[in-house]
Amino acid sequence: MTTLLVIKQTLLSIYSRYEVYITPLLKFLLALFTLLLINSRLGYMGSLNKMTLVLIVALMCSFMPMNFIVLVGAVFSILHLYAFSMECAAVIGAGFLLLFLLYLRFSPKDTLVVVLMPICFLMRIPYVIPISMGLVGGPASAVSVACGVIVYYMLRYVTQNETAIASMADEETAAKFKSIIDGLLKNKEMVVIIAAFATTVIVVYLLRRLSLDYAWTIAMIAGAVVNIMVLLVGDLIFDTKQSLLSMLLGTVISFLIVLVLQFFVFYVDYSRTENVQFEDDEYYYYVKAVPKVTVARTDKKVKQINSKRR
Amino acid sequence: MLNEERVVLMTKMASYEANEGRKNLDIGSYFRNDYIGWQVLKSIISATIAFVVVFAMYIFYDFEIFMTDIYKMDLMEFAKNVLFWYLATVGIYAVIAYAVYTVRYSRAKKSLRTYYMNLHRLSAMYRDKNN
């Protein structure tokens, strides 16, 4: 454990020393990964698939605010969809517009979730996001998580029904329009997942704020369990046909990832908890102080013991 | 001579100004009602655009049926309905925006108060040094 703590301390000190370089690099990598993923999944517009363009845009993202990545991702998706079918681009563009207008202007901090959610879905570990947002965010993060789920399912609908949409003749604009909207709105799986993730965020948030020992771990476990429960109940009611095995496996892997997050953000030693009481003129204070676990980094000092030769 | 306390205070304040403080200083430059009113106005505009988008989708969804029905239906009644939904959407959204921005304004003011207090402390330190 001490080795891990030393590694953590070293990582943190490296990050704080080279923050100026590391943050843009991470943004660049995230933007690159997002754009490549969009291109590989949607890639209908040839000119957007060029690596040089992707690299230039990703470089631009590296020194722009984080929200720019979301904007670029949305623009890339809409352009690809436009090349595929105008109606798709219109419907999904309207979806993005509503997200930006109605929600994302309120909470610019959570915008990243909208990008990370689809990525985690494709990596089959979507459960990471609601649990970690419950840990580091607030109850309003439930809405951001829901937005991320909506974005993923909008784009997935297109890739899954590619042939069906493409086979409709161009004259049937109205029918195409209707089928796309139907496909998006009547997606029961999406509703179940939104319900499960929103509940998870709120449960995790409420539990981790309790003044209990191991509140974070309890919150994480409870969140994972609640998530599976709601998904299973949703499966029973709406018959969404989700595979139980992949759900369990995804939850376990997500749990391990969140454990790593907890190690970095909230690693405390409950055995040294102190409960203290004091008062001032206006209040009585019942304070519970839990020390963070840290190790002093061993600073190597070179001590010269032989005198310098003249 | 370097005054350690002063350097610590200045570093803290500079970091505040560079990060969350920038937004708070921006908010703090408005009067309360001006800030909230301006944000609510922006929200109303966004809600209006959002309503237009949703309404357009609604019309396009059953475009053919709508076009055949348009001659038969009571247009006044339809317009009244649309107006009702528009006002309801914008109204609810504006109330939410009002609540969110009121909280944000008071939080920003509170945090700025600490910042200004530190500013006073800093200038007091300089005065003490000069005297």
Side-chain angles (χ1 to χ4, degrees), chain A residues 94 97-98 101-102, chain B residues 44-56 89:
Chain A
L97 192 65
L98 289 181
L101 282 175
L102 293 183
Chain B
I44 289 176
I45 294 170
S46 321
T48 307
I49 301 172
F51 184 81
V52 171
V53 170
V54 173
F55 184 64
T89 316

Side-chain angles (χ1 to χ4, degrees), chain B residues 82-116:
Chain B
V82 172
L83 194 69
F84 168 75
W85 282 111
Y86 169 70
L87 290 179
T89 316
V90 170
I92 293 169
Y93 193 68
V95 169
I96 296 173
Y98 179 82
V100 169
Y101 288 110
T102 312
V103 172
R104 267 190 206 176
Y105 187 84
S106 58
R107 269 195 203 152
K109 273 286 174 193
K110 213 171 178 182
S111 115
L112 278 179
R113 217 170 294 147
T114 325
Y115 173 74
Y116 287 128

Side-chain angles (χ1 to χ4, degrees), chain A residues 205-222:
Chain A
Y205 171 76
L206 290 177
L207 287 179
R208 72 123 166 134
R209 279 174 55 92
L210 290 181
S211 171
L212 279 176
D213 283 2
Y214 306 100
W216 273 52
T217 319
I218 294 171
M220 280 155 55
I221 296 172

Side-chain angles (χ1 to χ4, degrees), chain A residues 101-102 105-106 177-178 182, chain B residues 43 50 60-62 93 104:
Chain A
L101 282 175
L102 293 183
R105 47 182 299 267
F106 274 132
F177 212 81
K178 194 171 173 180
D182 274 344
Chain B
S43 307
F60 270 113
Y61 180 72
D62 267 336
Y93 193 68
R104 267 190 206 176

Side-chain angles (χ1 to χ4, degrees), chain A residues 140-189:
Chain A
S141 304
V143 189
S144 319
V145 171
C147 289
V149 176
I150 294 174
V151 168
Y152 169 70
Y153 275 95
M154 282 202 303
L155 298 178
R156 199 186 78 156
Y157 173 77
V158 180
T159 48
Q160 275 189 346
N161 298 284
E162 204 176 16
T163 34
I165 298 172
S167 66
M168 284 179 156
D170 282 342
E171 306 88 65
E172 297 173 49
T173 310
K176 242 185 192 178
F177 212 81
K178 194 171 173 180
S179 82
I180 296 168
I181 295 181
D182 274 344
L184 292 178
L185 291 184
K186 293 181 182 157
N187 190 343
K188 284 173 189 157
E189 193 184 330

Side-chain angles (χ1 to χ4, degrees), chain B residues 1 3 11 14 17 23 35 37 42 46 53 58 63 71 83 90 92-93 95 97 104 115 128-130:
Chain B
M1 260 295 279
N3 180 334
T11 317
E17 270 172 54
K23 215 175 250 169
Y35 172 74
K42 280 204 276 189
S46 321
V53 170
Y58 171 75
F63 193 61
Y71 301 106
L83 194 69
V90 170
I92 293 169
Y93 193 68
V95 169
R104 267 190 206 176
Y115 173 74
D128 289 347
K129 190 192 153 208
N130 289 336

